[in-house]
């Protein structure tokens, strides 16, 4: 089977992403907007990978069907994954007061245009002049570069927003900030190496983005990235002799101080999100 390695890689990626989705839904007891949009991001990635698995099967066993027809479906998720990530960033930035503004819907214009241009590519060739699942063999049309610039640009901006907020609230060398930074650096390095030194297929990108999901999940749910308090406040409350917890309107625990952890012989990671 051609692209067998990519096929196995995509299957493993889907399995891990499904596990992440179940874990996120289980841990998202606070039902915050950021957690919900992060779940949507994982779902987009899952369907993206599943459609590529189907494309490899079509390429190998149904040669009469061009793989580009599978791309018509795949690009729905390719185009809207960075949009879901955008809402992760802006909802976290706004906190509990987040409301979807009409202006936010402008980020969907390019993704919708991408889908339309790809579906009509046979008429104008604006997306592909020559189609291939190997990026080095494909000849892209003029619009494809707009799509790529927008997609990677939005991913970059979204991640920078999260990293900036993490550094502001928990410090540049905190575990939250380190894992958020890795979520941007690792897939970026893999894709740059794929473009410059290796003849990588289009299937490598969603596999490399698995690292983004993994590191973000660790930052958000293991180290409480969505609930971190500013550094100065943390220092003050941890020096208090009294124990305290912070609850949301549904009486779920959002935060606690070190005396509380010591008194009840537990850790913050086990406490946060409990009723």
């Amino acid at each position: 089977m051609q692209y067998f390695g990519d096929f196995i890689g995509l299957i493993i990626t889907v399995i891990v992403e499904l596990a992440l989705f179940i874990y996120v839904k289980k841990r998202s007891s606070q039902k915050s907007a950021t957690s919900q949009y992060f779940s949507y991001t994982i779902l987009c990635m899952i369907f993206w990978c599943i459609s590529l698995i189907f494309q490899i099967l079509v390429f190998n066993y149904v040669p009469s069907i061009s793989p580009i027809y599978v791309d018509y479906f795949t690009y729905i998720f390719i185009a809207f994954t960075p949009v879901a990530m955008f809402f992760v960033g802006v909802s976290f930035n706004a906190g509990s007061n987040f409301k979807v503004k009409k202006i936010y819907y402008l980020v969907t214009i390019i993704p919708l245009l991408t889908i339309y241009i790809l579906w009509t590519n046979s008429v104008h060739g604006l997306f592909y002049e020559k189609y291939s699942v190997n990026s080095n063999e494909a000849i892209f049309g003029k619009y494809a570069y707009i799509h790529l610039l927008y997609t990677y640009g939005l991913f970059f901006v979204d991640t920078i927003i999260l990293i900036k907020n993490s550094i502001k609230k928990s410090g540049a060398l905190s575990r939250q900030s380190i894992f958020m930074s890795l979520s941007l650096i690792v897939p970026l390095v893999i894709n740059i190496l794929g473009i410059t030194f290796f003849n990588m297929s289009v299937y490598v990108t969603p596999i490399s983005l698995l690292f983004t999901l993994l590191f973000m999940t660790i930052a958000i749910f293991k180290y409480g990235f969505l609930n971190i308090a500013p550094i100065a406040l943390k220092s003050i409350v941890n020096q208090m002799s009294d124990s305290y917890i912070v609850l949301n309107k549904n009486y779920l625990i959002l935060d606690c101080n070190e005396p509380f952890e010591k008194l009840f012989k537990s850790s913050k990671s086990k406490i946060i999100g409990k009723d």
Side-chain angles (χ1 to χ4, degrees), residues 229-242 244 255-262 268:
I231 301 171
L233 178 60
K234 278 188 172 182
S235 300
I236 293 171
V237 299
N238 284 329
Q239 292 175 18
M240 295 168 56
S241 59
D242 294 332
Y244 89 89
D255 199 8
C256 67
N257 63 350
E258 289 180 2
F260 185 95
E261 295 179 84
K262 293 177 181 178
K268 184 178 293 189

Side-chain angles (χ1 to χ4, degrees), residues 152-179:
Y152 282 101
L154 199 55
F155 260 127
F156 183 79
V157 169
D158 297 339
T159 312
I160 290 298
I161 290 173
L162 292 171
I163 293 174
K164 182 180 177 180
N165 278 277
S166 178
I167 292 173
K168 180 180 178 181
K169 295 185 177 182
S170 63
L173 298 179
S174 68
R175 292 178 178 178
Q176 296 98 329
S177 299
I178 291 172
F179 277 105

Side-chain angles (χ1 to χ4, degrees), residues 82-155:
V83 173
M85 274 292 298
F86 167 79
F87 281 100
V88 172
V90 296
S91 62
F92 172 70
N93 208 27
S96 58
N97 297 321
F98 174 72
K99 292 182 179 180
V100 179
K101 300 177 182 178
K102 291 182 179 180
I103 194 172
Y104 290 161
Y105 292 112
L106 292 177
V107 298
T108 65
I109 292 176
I110 295 297
L112 290 171
L113 187 60
T114 293
I115 295 168
Y116 173 77
I117 289 179
L118 179 63
W119 287 0
T120 59
N121 186 74
S122 59
V123 177
H124 44 67
L126 287 174
F127 204 99
Y128 286 112
E129 292 182 12
K130 177 187 175 183
Y131 176 79
S132 175
V133 294
N134 284 320
S135 55
N136 290 343
E137 296 176 3
I139 301 176
F140 293 100
K142 295 178 181 179
Y143 177 80
Y145 296 101
I146 297 175
H147 159 74
L148 289 172
L149 182 64
Y150 181 81
T151 299
Y152 282 101
L154 199 55
F155 260 127

Side-chain angles (χ1 to χ4, degrees), residues 17 21 34-48 77 80-89 155 158 209 212-213 216:
E17 286 171 348
F21 180 76
T34 307
S35 296
Q36 292 298 310
Y37 287 120
F38 188 64
S39 297
Y40 299 153
T41 303
I42 298 176
L43 274 180
C44 283
M45 289 297 303
I46 290 172
F47 285 112
W48 179 353
F77 306 105
F80 280 96
T81 296
V83 173
M85 274 292 298
F86 167 79
F87 281 100
V88 172
F155 260 127
D158 297 339
L209 288 175
T212 297
L213 297 179
M216 282 190 175

Side-chain angles (χ1 to χ4, degrees), residues 1-8 56 59-60 133-134 201 203:
M1 176 191 287
Q2 199 168 352
Y3 303 109
F4 179 74
D6 293 323
F7 181 77
I8 297 300
I56 293 175
F59 182 83
N60 282 276
V133 294
N134 284 320
S201 67
Y203 306 119

